[in-house]
Amino acid sequence: MKNIALRSALAVAAVSAAALSAPAFAQEAAQQAPGLSRAEVLADLALHRRAGLDAQGSSEILPVGNADHERRLAEYQRLRSGPEYLAEVRRFGGAASTVAGEAGTQRVQ
């Protein structure tokens, strides 16, 4: 009986320690690498859809060698690296100064 109580106490202690350290870890990770803004995520999704990548459905098998997928992916990459992306970010309420990785700008938090 003492063995079970000791194991239970150790398990509770381990779970408590993990739960208490998780928020600190998440805060540290957020400070190290800023994420995308809501406008950036929505803009990326819009370009993904515009390129037709969402029309292929979801599958756990990657469409390697599929010419149609390769064409759509190339179009998405072109849109994502061109002025269309910034236009979409602005359409969703973002600003050029908040676009992550935008050359010559600083990310505003």
Side-chain angles (χ1 to χ4, degrees):
M1 204 60 164
K2 288 182 182 180
N3 227 0
I4 294 173
L6 179 60
R7 287 183 184 173
S8 295
L10 288 174
V12 168
V15 170
S16 297
L20 291 174
S21 66
F25 175 75
Q27 185 178 13
E28 182 181 318
Q31 290 172 350
Q32 290 177 355
L36 298 175
S37 69
R38 183 176 189 276
E40 288 172 295
V41 171
L42 292 173
D44 186 63
L45 178 60
L47 296 180
H48 188 268
R49 288 178 174 158
R50 188 187 305 178
L53 287 170
D54 66 326
Q56 295 185 282
S58 62
S59 174
E60 291 190 22
I61 300 172
L62 296 175
V64 177
N66 181 328
D68 186 47
H69 175 77
E70 296 298 326
R71 180 188 55 75
R72 292 173 191 225
L73 183 59
E75 174 64 5
Y76 164 76
Q77 290 170 337
R78 184 192 69 75
L79 291 168
R80 183 63 171 79
S81 62
E84 294 87 352
Y85 177 65
L86 188 54
E88 287 293 320
V89 169
R90 287 184 177 139
R91 185 170 76 92
F92 288 109
S97 62
T98 64
V99 175
E102 186 69 21
T105 63
Q106 292 182 346
R107 182 155 176 96
V108 176
Q109 292 289 326

